[in-house]
Amino acid sequence: MAPRTPRTSLPRDRPEEAVRLTLLSQAGELLSGTLDRRRLAALAAQLIVPRLADWVALYPAADHPNVSSSWTPEHIWHREERRLDALRSALDGWQPPLPEESGRAHTAGAAYGEWPVPVASPYGQALPIPLTARGVSLGTLVLGGPGKGGFAGPTVPLAMELAARIAAALDNARQYAEQVEIVRGLQRSLLPPSLPTVPGLDIGVVYEAASNSDGVHVGGDFYDVFPISRKVWGFAVGDVCGTGPEAAALTGLARHSLRLLAREGRSPVTVVERLNQAVLEEGELAGDAGRFITLLYGEVEPRPDGSAQLVLVCAGHPLPLILRQDGSVRAAANPQPLLGVLPEPTLYAEDVELGAGEVLLVYTDGASERRNGRLMLGDEGVAAALSGCSGMTAPGVVARVRQAVVDFGSSGTRDDLALLALRAYKG
């Protein structure tokens, strides 16, 4: 029989050590459960008050994006909630003193006797502790109102240990926030900043990246609407296989290549063929031949009578749908090979007439493959949602279809969703 691992027990003969271990254990458990700085500040206050102090204030670092010109705590808590307003008013504009910059690092783990030391605050005695991690200043933790005994004995070392854990949690939150902002910036760069105004054409768009457990996600779906000439406009909806930086790179390649090729006066088929070559070459250079794109590329010319002439190439993409004036819905194109697989796919253009008041809807499989248990919305479900949109504007159409997709599934979006509607009208 293998020897039994001895159980760790709290030192009953040393109650102060038991309190310390319990508090630090709770801190580790609570602080590791979130990456939101505001929630971390609230949890830190709950850990400190009333165990170590009567009140606590968390000040942001001087270079924190939310810091104001005057020193204002980003979170305050008092053991007596009725005193919060008085505490907040007293601390407003007060800067907690920190150790002089002397060339050495001052951290929450500095030896007691050097720092921190109790100071006088506008609300009684206080103990300011710098919060740093990985050499980055994350703010200042201020403990206040320790009672008759003051900040003495084991209180200061315990507060410093706790501050070190709070600083580590805040640093994780900082890095996470920076990563999220980078991802959001990258995602924004892959989509047009705004929709153009096209006389005789009403445009509606919905784009939603898939939900993710950590919220950090770069979607593979994209859309675009752009001018080709004075009368003709290009539009596209695509879906890149996969997610992340690799998919983002291919998304950027596709969107900008379409604009460049179309404005060179190439035919829609040639535009898509050249994009297919670019995707294949990109895969060879990156050593990843498994990347592919589904794409609906089109060009539209609005007419004075309120109709519009379209030319479509549907490369492996869900078939676009047309909502006719009588409320009927039909596919507007036929399926063709997706991009990034065959060196010379057989592609062709299809002419489509869009009457005044009629709508073309282009969508990605985030709509048609929405699931509810074993059921899938499917192309038929998208068509059924579109059939109820007669008389609606293009933004109204995509909003109605999106709501149908959301209502069908009981869980969050697991795939990117892009919807583009074009409605012809007489201006």
Side-chain angles (χ1 to χ4, degrees):
M1 177 181 294
R4 298 178 62 181
T5 302
R7 296 176 59 186
T8 302
S9 59
L10 295 177
R12 297 181 180 179
D13 57 333
R14 291 181 294 165
E16 292 180 351
E17 182 66 9
V19 170
R20 171 183 169 277
L21 293 176
T22 299
L23 181 57
L24 295 179
S25 175
Q26 290 176 349
E29 183 177 350
L30 287 174
L31 298 175
S32 64
T34 181
L35 289 169
D36 181 80
R37 182 181 174 97
R38 289 179 297 181
R39 181 165 175 78
L40 284 171
L43 291 172
Q46 293 177 25
L47 289 166
I48 293 169
V49 177
R51 292 180 178 93
L52 301 180
D54 291 337
W55 57 266
V56 66
L58 178 63
Y59 288 77
D63 59 352
H64 191 276
N66 295 329
V67 71
S68 60
S69 56
S70 63
W71 278 76
T72 303
E74 57 181 304
H75 187 81
I76 296 176
W77 187 247
H78 197 288
R79 67 187 304 167
E80 298 182 42
E81 192 170 353
R82 63 185 176 86
R83 298 191 177 185
L84 269 176
D85 290 341
L87 174 61
R88 185 176 290 108
S89 177
L91 295 183
D92 186 31
W94 176 67
Q95 179 177 346
L98 295 177
E100 295 288 333
E101 292 294 334
S102 58
R104 63 183 180 88
H106 295 277
T107 70
Y112 177 52
E114 297 178 356
W115 193 264
V117 294
V119 299
S121 81
Y123 206 82
Q125 191 182 55
L127 184 73
I129 305 177
L131 297 174
T132 62
R134 305 174 193 267
V136 177
S137 174
L138 301 163
T140 304
L141 183 68
V142 179
L143 284 64
K148 295 181 180 180
F151 290 107
T155 301
V156 173
L158 179 55
M160 294 171 65
E161 286 188 84
L162 190 57
R165 284 160 172 76
I166 294 171
L170 291 174
D171 186 55
N172 289 336
R174 175 189 64 83
Q175 294 185 74
Y176 172 77
E178 290 177 353
Q179 185 180 8
V180 169
E181 187 56 37
I182 290 171
V183 169
R184 288 175 178 170
L186 176 58
Q187 187 72 73
R188 287 193 296 267
S189 72
L190 301 177
L191 301 172
S194 61
L195 292 175
T197 299
V198 182
L201 201 64
D202 189 22
I203 306 173
V205 166
V206 164
Y207 178 85
E208 295 178 355
S211 59
N212 194 310
S213 59
D214 60 6
V216 182
H217 178 89
V218 180
D221 290 8
F222 67 94
Y223 68 89
D224 203 359
V225 182
F226 56 91
I228 295 176
S229 65
R230 188 172 60 88
K231 295 183 178 181
V232 179
W233 297 76
F235 62 94
V237 174
D239 185 357
V240 174
C241 168
T243 59
E246 294 82 5
L250 199 54
T251 298
L253 171 69
R255 179 170 166 257
H256 295 296
S257 294
L258 289 173
R259 286 188 170 224
L260 178 63
L261 293 167
R263 287 169 176 170
E264 288 180 349
R266 302 178 187 273
S267 69
V269 170
T270 302
V271 167
V272 180
E273 287 176 340
R274 291 293 299 274
L275 175 59
N276 180 66
Q277 295 174 7
V279 173
L280 289 171
E281 291 173 0
E282 183 71 14
E284 292 175 359
L285 290 174
D288 182 5
R291 293 286 180 185
F292 58 83
I293 298 178
T294 72
L295 176 73
L296 186 287
Y297 173 71
E299 296 181 0
V300 56
E301 181 179 356
R303 292 175 172 173
D305 63 357
S307 64
Q309 180 65 37
L310 293 87
V311 181
L312 305 177
V313 180
C314 187
H317 201 77
L319 302 182
L321 302 173
I322 287 184
L323 173 61
R324 293 302 189 188
Q325 291 177 338
D326 60 3
S328 63
V329 175
R330 71 170 182 85
N334 292 299
Q336 300 179 48
L338 52 77
L339 308 181
V341 177
L342 302 175
E344 296 183 1
T346 301
L347 300 171
Y348 55 91
E350 300 181 75
D351 295 326
V352 177
E353 183 81 16
L354 200 63
E358 296 182 338
V359 177
L360 176 77
L361 176 68
V362 189
Y363 58 94
T364 57
D365 59 12
S368 56
E369 295 184 1
R370 178 78 172 197
R371 292 185 175 274
N372 187 346
R374 295 183 178 182
L375 300 178
M376 188 168 68
L377 181 61
D379 298 320
E380 299 82 3
V382 177
L386 179 61
S387 66
C389 296
S390 295
M392 298 179 66
T393 64
V397 169
V398 293
R400 174 71 66 83
V401 174
R402 174 200 172 274
Q403 193 60 50
V405 173
V406 172
D407 292 343
F408 181 82
S410 57
S411 60
T413 305
R414 296 182 178 179
D415 195 5
D416 305 326
L417 173 66
L419 304 170
L420 171 66
L422 305 178
R423 184 179 69 89
Y425 72 95
K426 187 175 182 179

